[in-house]
Amino acid sequence: MSADDERRVTITAIAREAGVSVPTVSRVLNGRSDVAPDTRERVEELLRHHGYRRRGSRTVRRADLVDLVFNDLDSPWAVEIIRGVEDVSHAAGVGTVVSAIHRESSSTRQWLHNLRARASDGVIVVTSHLSPAVQAQLRRLNVPVVVVDPAAGVAATDVPAIGATNWTGGLAATEHLLKLGHRRIGFVAGPPHLLCSRARLDGYRAALAAAGVAADDRLVQPGDFYHASGFTAGGALLDLDDPPTAIFAASDQMAFGVYEAVRRRGLRVCDDVSVVGFDDLPEARWASPPLTTVRQPLVEMGRLAARTVLRLAQGEEIDSPRVELATELVVRDSTAGPAYR
């Protein structure tokens, strides 16, 4: 069979080679769930091997849908990523299906079942855990996958990932406080199993080391990126015998929790304790006082993820499997020189 003939392979030829009926191949192409898993895998492998293309189309586009999947949807940065994905998918005439898959395996199984039924063109995953089993299922479905990781762990090497320069952001935030004259700088960390959390902490420590400031483990408190943990960690820092004059929280939400811890102690943000966040969520500029923070380009990350997954769905190659977009320090009114109490 010549190369041209191979590209023009028909459903009938695929069915004959797979030992199934033509309607069975058609059901696989349309993402129907009423096909035995072994049969589906055999047919999909032959479709990939022969580079099957539907007549009159450039690639095997199935539904003009992209799945956007989160661990949960109750974080403000999820809204920002959705905005970015929607900007690109709407312009391309592609719908976006937003889902949350929690740690429960039943939730993941249901999402995979729905994904197969609707035959989405690609999947954008914003999750702290993309298990090998789920990756294998997605490969069997022949669905392009892109990971967005403002809070994700290390993606598999063969899965394109869109991230941000978390280490550089942590460095810049800490350097800003050092330049203002702070030497006791507290840090509220994110979950330690997340790559971005570790990178922000490492950036904080690198800035202290470069300035000749000795690290103090008591000044690093655990958090989980949400308000309550920022409030608890901020309180623990402020109640030290020698409290910090500034606190860098690894997310804006935790920084807002620190704000409340400061107020509960009769202190004032900026005047008594400088506070820096990370994300630059829309509410950061409306906080009182407006929050100095590291801007993580969440909307841009969503846009790039959508462009990447649509390119993969069209059969195009991408330039790099891992892209990190630049973070930027945004100085507002929550930081000033140290006020020693």
Side-chain angles (χ1 to χ4, degrees):
M1 181 183 291
S2 71
D4 286 343
D5 289 339
E6 188 175 71
R7 281 194 293 269
R8 290 196 298 268
V9 68
T10 64
I11 290 179
T12 302
I14 294 290
R16 185 184 306 115
E17 188 170 348
V20 299
S21 67
V22 170
T24 297
V25 176
S26 181
R27 284 197 294 272
V28 171
L29 282 168
N30 288 312
R32 294 271 297 275
S33 59
D34 53 343
V35 180
D38 290 347
T39 301
R40 178 184 301 279
E41 187 171 351
R42 185 165 71 254
V43 170
E44 287 174 344
E45 177 59 34
L46 288 169
L47 290 168
R48 286 192 295 269
H49 174 72
H50 290 294
Y52 174 79
R53 293 170 181 248
R54 285 179 174 172
R55 185 174 299 173
S57 65
R58 290 177 295 171
T59 188
V60 186
R61 290 293 300 274
R62 294 176 287 190
D64 284 331
L65 288 175
V66 167
D67 267 60
L68 175 58
V69 188
F70 295 86
N71 266 120
D72 57 66
L73 294 171
D74 62 357
S75 65
W77 51 256
V79 176
E80 298 300 292
I81 292 173
I82 292 170
R83 282 179 52 206
V85 171
E86 269 290 292
D87 283 350
V88 172
S89 61
H90 179 74
V94 174
T96 304
V97 179
V98 180
S99 306
I101 54 171
H102 308 287
R103 291 293 181 132
E104 298 89 348
S105 58
S106 60
S107 172
T108 303
R109 283 197 300 270
Q110 183 62 49
W111 170 70
L112 285 167
H113 174 79
N114 294 340
L115 176 69
R116 173 176 289 168
R118 59 180 164 258
S120 291
D121 299 313
V123 175
I124 299 169
V125 180
V126 190
T127 177
S128 59
H129 182 66
L130 185 62
S131 70
V134 172
Q135 293 179 45
Q137 288 270 15
L138 292 172
R139 278 194 294 271
R140 282 196 289 272
L141 290 174
N142 198 28
V143 178
V145 179
V146 175
V147 172
V148 179
D149 62 345
V154 180
T157 55
D158 60 342
V159 178
I162 313 297
T165 54
N166 289 289
W167 184 89
T168 303
L171 182 81
T174 311
E175 285 181 340
H176 168 68
L177 294 169
L178 289 164
K179 288 175 183 175
L180 289 173
H182 296 278
R183 290 300 178 267
R184 285 192 63 75
I185 302 171
F187 183 79
V188 183
H193 66 283
L194 300 184
L195 175 63
C196 63
S197 298
R198 299 197 300 271
R200 294 171 197 179
L201 176 58
D202 288 346
Y204 158 82
R205 287 173 170 160
L208 294 179
V213 176
D216 184 344
D217 290 341
R218 295 176 304 163
L219 292 178
V220 177
Q221 292 290 322
D224 61 6
F225 287 147
Y226 292 97
H227 293 85
S229 69
F231 175 75
T232 300
L237 291 167
L238 294 169
D239 291 341
L240 291 172
D241 291 337
D242 187 9
T245 59
I247 298 175
F248 170 29
S251 78
D252 284 355
Q253 288 184 281
M254 293 196 301
F256 298 144
V258 172
Y259 269 36
E260 185 60 22
V262 170
R263 294 190 184 104
R264 293 279 185 96
R265 285 156 180 78
L267 303 172
R268 293 167 297 178
V269 173
C270 187
D271 291 342
D272 298 308
V273 182
S274 288
V275 179
V276 178
F278 200 112
D279 283 327
D280 196 25
L281 298 173
E283 52 263 49
R285 70 187 66 185
W286 302 112
S288 180
L291 177 65
T292 293
T293 186
V294 177
R295 180 178 181 270
Q296 183 171 211
L298 297 168
V299 174
E300 290 87 343
M301 289 162 71
R303 288 174 182 149
L304 181 56
R307 284 194 292 267
T308 301
V309 82
L310 290 175
R311 287 182 60 192
L312 291 171
Q314 293 284 1
E316 298 180 28
E317 293 186 0
I318 57 174
D319 300 327
S320 173
R322 170 83 189 183
V323 177
E324 288 192 340
L325 301 184
T327 52
E328 176 188 3
L329 180 69
V330 180
V331 179
R332 297 192 178 101
D333 299 335
S334 65
T335 50
Y340 293 99
R341 303 189 299 281

